[in-house]
Amino acid sequence: MNIVRGRIWKFGDNINTDNLSPGYYIANGISELGRHCLEAVRPEFPQNVKKGDVILAGYNFGTGSSRETAPATLKALGVALVIAGSFARIFYRNAINIALPLLECAEIFNETKDGDMIAADLSTGTITNETLKESFSSVPLPKIMMDILQAGGLINYVLKEKW
């Protein structure tokens, strides 16, 4: 799980939780949320995202409400990793808690296009755009967060550690 490879879907700044998990559909469950995830920003996304794809975004990804369904919807769609210039803190924690990997790296945004293939090493923070053969440094995840990801989420981690 330390290396994630996938195709890039590129988004801008300030992608909010209502774009990720539209409130109108929350009562209908994760499957319905997935059919509408990010459609307000890129209408083709929910129908064309594939398991293992990677979201690349600008700053303040996951801003807005603290709805836990936002990262859960991405994970249910098969998104393998989200890379952004920065994350809203509550989104960041919610994502790690359900084992959706995140990396912060602003530098890669201007050098990467939709459809580029990347490989990211979560433990070192190295992201390689395999299409362009260029590497970028992100903020590596702290050991505790890597442990939570590898356990499959916070609940599994806590049960494993028998706290």
Side-chain angles (χ1 to χ4, degrees):
M1 165 172 233
N2 285 350
I3 306 292
V4 176
R5 284 192 164 77
R7 174 183 62 145
I8 290 292
W9 283 86
K10 195 169 178 182
F11 294 87
D13 295 338
N14 301 311
I15 299 298
N16 67 52
T17 55
D18 201 46
N19 296 137
L20 297 164
S21 176
Y24 183 80
Y25 302 102
I26 281 181
N28 299 327
I30 288 292
S31 294
E32 185 68 14
L33 286 169
R35 286 190 278 281
H36 300 282
C37 180
L38 293 164
E39 73 180 357
V41 183
R42 294 198 49 193
E44 74 280 13
F45 178 79
Q47 291 78 33
N48 296 307
V49 64
K50 303 280 188 258
K51 182 178 172 135
D53 284 353
V54 175
I55 289 179
L56 173 63
Y59 292 97
N60 206 23
F61 188 88
T63 189
S65 70
S66 61
R67 60 181 69 158
E68 294 171 338
T69 55
T73 300
L74 293 175
K75 188 166 181 173
L77 285 171
V79 170
L81 171 67
V82 180
I83 303 167
S86 66
F87 292 92
R89 300 326 297 166
I90 191 91
F91 177 88
Y92 189 91
R93 285 307 311 193
N94 284 338
I96 296 297
N97 288 348
I98 64 162
L100 175 64
L102 309 171
L103 289 173
E104 288 187 4
C105 181
E107 180 185 22
I108 192 173
F109 189 81
N110 290 329
E111 305 299 323
T112 301
K113 300 183 300 285
D114 264 340
D116 284 0
M117 294 299 293
I118 63 106
D121 186 327
L122 302 177
S123 59
T124 65
T126 302
I127 305 169
T128 302
N129 181 320
E130 294 181 330
T131 303
L132 300 175
K133 311 280 190 265
E134 291 183 41
S135 291
F136 304 88
S137 294
S138 72
V139 178
L141 294 172
K143 182 184 179 327
I144 184 71
M145 290 185 183
M146 284 297 298
D147 291 346
I148 292 169
L149 289 175
Q150 290 173 345
L154 183 61
I155 292 172
N156 290 340
Y157 174 79
V158 170
L159 291 173
K160 179 181 151 205
E161 295 298 319
K162 298 182 177 138
W163 285 21

